[in-house]
Amino acid sequence: MTRLHIALWGVLPYLVLTVLLAGTAWRYRYDRFGFTTRSSQLHEHRLLSIGGPLFHYGLLFVAAGHVIGLLVPESFTEHVHVHEWLYHANALIVGGTAGLATLAGLAILLHRRLRVPAVRAATSRSDRAVYPVLVCVLLAGLTATATTLQPHPYDYRLGVSRWFRSLFTLDPNVPAMAHAPLAYQVHALLAMTLFALWPFSRLVHAFTAPLGYLARPYVVYRSRGTRRAPTAHRPGQQPAPPAAARR
């Protein structure tokens, strides 16, 4: 274990976490109205309606798979009688499908951003920095997932997962990550880069939730057709009395 390993897997995660939390707090303090995706639906809708759901729903499944794979220890799945081969097969099929769907959705959205002039003009500098990193994170994750097809695959639950859980105890298991395959190390480094850029990009909208919507009062709508326009009458003819007077 070298000093580089200690810096990458023992120090860098906490620096990234600090940037993520402090950057989000700063963004909320000084750019509260910037917590938005800067929607470009008015400029183009067809490609957005295809790529948006693919990317977002796929990303939700990818995030759920990472939470289960990194936080749930192997002893728990053994306790509930989930066989190891079934766990890895589910991770390969579901995780691989979700990763491919996310990548396909992102490709459609990037194609849309480059193709539509109005959407391309609305692309910020932070977008140009985040999109390549996001693509590389997905490709590295799919590469790491594909390595499970090898005859003797690397068991990330005995290496990467233990390192990730050790970060919460403030005692990083640096050797567990230092001995992981290169694909997993690259994936982890790119993911930390993405989280460091997160507060300063449109991705920060993932931390917002319309909680005020649950407690806001009802919006009352009135139809314009509830009041009848006065009818025309001939000269010298008395207008008809209102409905209330005729009763």
Side-chain angles (χ1 to χ4, degrees):
M1 186 174 61
T2 64
R3 294 181 179 179
L4 179 60
H5 291 151
I6 297 175
L8 292 179
W9 314 120
V11 179
L12 184 60
Y14 297 107
L15 293 179
V16 171
L17 180 62
T18 302
V19 172
L20 176 63
L21 296 178
T24 303
W26 174 86
R27 183 81 180 270
Y28 184 79
R29 175 65 176 81
Y30 294 101
D31 188 24
R32 187 174 302 181
F33 292 101
F35 272 60
T36 174
T37 59
R38 299 185 181 94
S39 177
S40 57
Q41 185 175 359
L42 292 176
H43 301 304
E44 198 282 333
H45 176 69
R46 185 177 62 86
L47 291 175
L48 181 62
S49 64
I50 300 174
L54 270 176
F55 175 75
H56 287 93
Y57 286 114
L59 192 60
L60 285 176
F61 278 97
V62 168
H66 278 71
V67 169
I68 296 174
L70 295 175
L71 296 180
V72 178
E74 189 176 12
S75 58
F76 177 81
T77 54
E78 292 179 352
H79 179 72
V80 296
H81 305 290
V82 176
H83 296 286
E84 195 67 14
W85 68 268
L86 179 60
Y87 175 88
H88 286 288
N90 180 73
L92 176 63
I93 297 174
V94 178
T97 303
L100 290 174
T102 306
L103 187 61
L106 181 59
I108 295 174
L109 294 177
L110 291 178
H111 171 71
R112 170 182 177 270
R113 188 161 293 275
L114 295 174
R115 175 189 172 188
V116 181
V119 180
R120 184 172 64 250
T123 304
S124 63
R125 294 180 179 178
S126 62
D127 295 334
R128 296 187 181 96
V130 166
Y131 289 145
V133 176
L134 186 56
V135 171
C136 293
V137 169
L138 292 173
L139 290 176
L142 288 172
T143 302
T145 302
T147 59
T148 59
L149 296 174
Q150 298 175 354
H152 302 286
Y154 168 74
D155 192 354
Y156 64 89
R157 303 180 74 190
L158 301 179
V160 177
S161 298
R162 290 181 178 179
W163 164 77
F164 184 78
R165 291 196 299 271
S166 69
L167 296 176
F168 294 95
T169 63
L170 302 182
D171 186 19
N173 189 349
V174 176
M177 192 63 190
H179 294 92
L182 181 61
Y184 289 88
Q185 295 181 351
V186 172
H187 182 53
L189 289 174
L190 289 172
M192 286 190 284
T193 303
L194 181 64
F195 283 119
L197 296 174
W198 197 288
F200 313 104
S201 67
R202 70 177 63 212
L203 296 177
V204 74
H205 80 277
F207 297 144
T208 62
L211 299 180
Y213 179 83
L214 301 176
R216 78 169 192 178
Y218 289 104
V219 178
V220 179
Y221 293 93
R222 292 182 175 88
S223 174
R224 293 183 179 181
T226 56
R227 300 179 61 181
R228 296 180 57 186
T231 58
H233 57 277
R234 298 178 181 177
Q237 181 182 3
Q238 295 294 329
R246 293 198 301 265
R247 293 178 181 176

